[in-house]
Amino acid sequence: MYKAPIASFRPLQFKLSIVVPCHNEAIHLNDFIKALKATVAPITPQFEILLINDGSRDDTRSVALGMLEAGQVRYIEFSRNFGKEAALMAGIDHADGDAVVLIDADFQHPLEKLTEMASLWQQGYDMIYGIIVNRSEEGLFKRLGTNLFYGLMRFSEVPIPQNAGDFRWLDRKVVQALRSLPERNRFMKGLYSWVGFKSVALEFIPEERKGGVSSFNPSRLISLALAGLTSFSTMPLRIWTALGFIVSIMAILYGIYIIYLTITEGNSVSGWPTLTVALMFFSGVQLFSIGILGEYIARIFNEVKQRPLYVIADDQSSQ
């Protein structure tokens, strides 16, 4: 059982770790780090920037390594692309600051909000998370998919704030709590809520992406939704259990009806279309139910293999 330490105050002098997942960010990474340093320096002179290269195929590696000489930068490279959830967790695992910031490298998370986050942390909040208040710049499909995703997340065992992303300021005890969780199927939005602690939302409007192309696609959204549902909700299993019960009652009632017709009107060979349609329908229901059950079993299978969440190919720090 993890026991969080009790902090009675926040130090005025503290070290801040900033986790920046990188996936094909070479175009704007250098400008972003310069802007990030300029923003963080007035907040605290003691900070480290952790660049997590999640299998980039562009020049992200060479650009990031070129920043090491300037200081306060640590570069961690995965052996392949493990996904953003793994990149965030790698940063959390290797951060040693009193507080940890999670931020994207594409400038869409407004840097000026870090000062406000620091103030809220000093006031005693353990987790400050960004809430997107305007998605008008996003495509129609992404907006619809995002709304559907958060609609499904309402059935999770812990409340997940709508439009809350990975832009966060975490106290050290939140970081320690996240590290203590052993699961391999990481759905970070759910884990942030599950660990609890005193939290507050901070509204922001995403900035325009400075370069590159978003890695968002429908398959990633579906995969994320499945991970969230199966990690934090048994709702799909309960729905199909209820459906199975309803279908069974309907079958019993229909059987009684057939017996009644046979007694009153004799045995007839009519009704083959109804029987065919019913068989096809219930076969589809069974296969769909097996698929849902398979999702849960697959995640159990991944957990029991105990493979690491990520594999590090390179780890270099500023001297």
Side-chain angles (χ1 to χ4, degrees):
M1 179 181 68
Y2 174 75
K3 185 176 181 180
I6 299 175
S8 58
F9 67 94
R10 296 280 157 72
L12 294 178
Q13 299 295 325
F14 63 93
K15 182 176 181 180
L16 180 64
S17 297
I18 306 140
V19 177
V20 184
C22 301
H23 182 65
N24 300 331
E25 313 284 357
I27 295 176
H28 48 258
L29 185 59
N30 191 48
D31 291 338
F32 174 77
I33 296 304
K34 289 181 180 178
L36 179 61
K37 285 185 174 182
T39 303
V40 173
I43 299 174
T44 175
Q46 302 178 59
F47 66 87
E48 63 171 351
I49 299 174
L50 292 90
L51 301 177
I52 315 299
N53 188 353
D54 182 26
S56 297
R57 297 184 178 180
D58 61 358
D59 294 328
T60 295
R61 173 183 169 84
S62 59
V63 173
L65 291 177
M67 300 177 189
L68 296 182
E69 292 184 5
Q72 296 178 297
V73 174
R74 181 175 180 180
Y75 174 75
I76 297 175
E77 181 178 328
F78 287 169
S79 60
R80 64 171 177 84
N81 177 251
F82 284 90
K84 187 179 181 181
E85 310 288 291
L88 290 170
M89 202 59 223
I92 290 172
D93 286 341
H94 291 84
D96 60 3
D98 300 298
V100 176
V101 167
L102 309 178
I103 189 170
D104 290 347
D106 56 9
F107 283 97
Q108 289 196 295
H109 292 161
L111 294 172
E112 62 271 14
K113 290 293 181 180
L114 293 179
T115 302
E116 192 172 349
M117 285 181 164
S119 177
L120 290 168
W121 178 70
Q122 293 284 0
Q123 294 173 33
Y125 288 100
D126 300 313
M127 188 185 322
I128 303 96
Y129 57 91
I131 292 284
I132 299 175
V133 295
N134 186 356
R135 292 186 176 271
S136 59
E137 298 299 321
E138 297 179 351
L140 176 61
F141 180 83
K142 185 174 181 179
R143 293 201 305 271
L144 292 175
T146 300
N147 290 333
L148 177 61
F149 169 76
Y150 282 106
L152 292 174
M153 288 301 100
R154 292 176 184 173
F155 297 97
S156 66
E157 65 184 49
V158 291
I160 298 175
Q162 186 163 355
N163 293 324
D166 297 311
F167 183 33
R168 294 172 185 257
W169 181 298
L170 309 176
D171 183 71
R172 186 69 191 175
K173 59 187 176 184
V174 179
V175 170
Q176 296 289 11
L178 289 170
R179 286 182 181 179
S180 70
L181 301 178
E183 58 210 76
R184 267 63 179 172
N185 295 303
R186 309 293 277 198
F187 176 62
M188 296 303 294
K189 291 180 178 64
L191 296 180
Y192 300 138
S193 297
W194 188 89
V195 296
F197 295 103
K198 186 179 180 181
S199 305
V200 63
L202 186 63
E203 295 183 345
F204 75 96
I205 298 175
E207 303 286 347
E208 182 181 355
R209 188 180 178 90
K210 298 300 182 181
V213 180
S214 173
S215 59
F216 166 83
N217 58 60
S219 64
R220 282 179 178 267
L221 182 61
I222 293 172
S223 177
L224 188 64
L226 286 175
L229 277 176
T230 53
S231 298
F232 288 90
S233 176
T234 56
M235 181 266 296
L237 295 177
R238 292 180 178 179
I239 287 178
W240 288 101
T241 298
L243 180 62
F245 176 76
I246 293 171
V247 169
S248 298
I249 296 298
M250 292 174 60
I252 292 172
L253 294 176
Y254 186 68
I256 293 173
Y257 173 69
I258 293 298
I259 292 173
Y260 170 77
L261 288 182
T262 302
I263 294 174
T264 58
E265 300 181 10
N267 190 12
S268 174
V269 295
S270 62
W272 285 107
T274 302
L275 181 61
T276 302
V277 171
L279 285 173
M280 293 176 64
F281 172 74
F282 292 122
S283 296
V285 169
Q286 287 179 330
L287 291 174
F288 192 70
S289 302
I290 292 171
I292 292 176
L293 187 61
E295 282 291 331
Y296 284 90
I297 294 174
R299 298 189 188 283
I300 295 172
F301 176 63
N302 288 333
E303 290 292 335
V304 299
K305 286 188 291 188
Q306 296 290 297
R307 288 177 181 169
L309 186 61
Y310 51 84
V311 177
I312 294 177
D314 192 11
D315 185 353
Q316 301 185 43
S317 301
S318 298
Q319 299 298 324

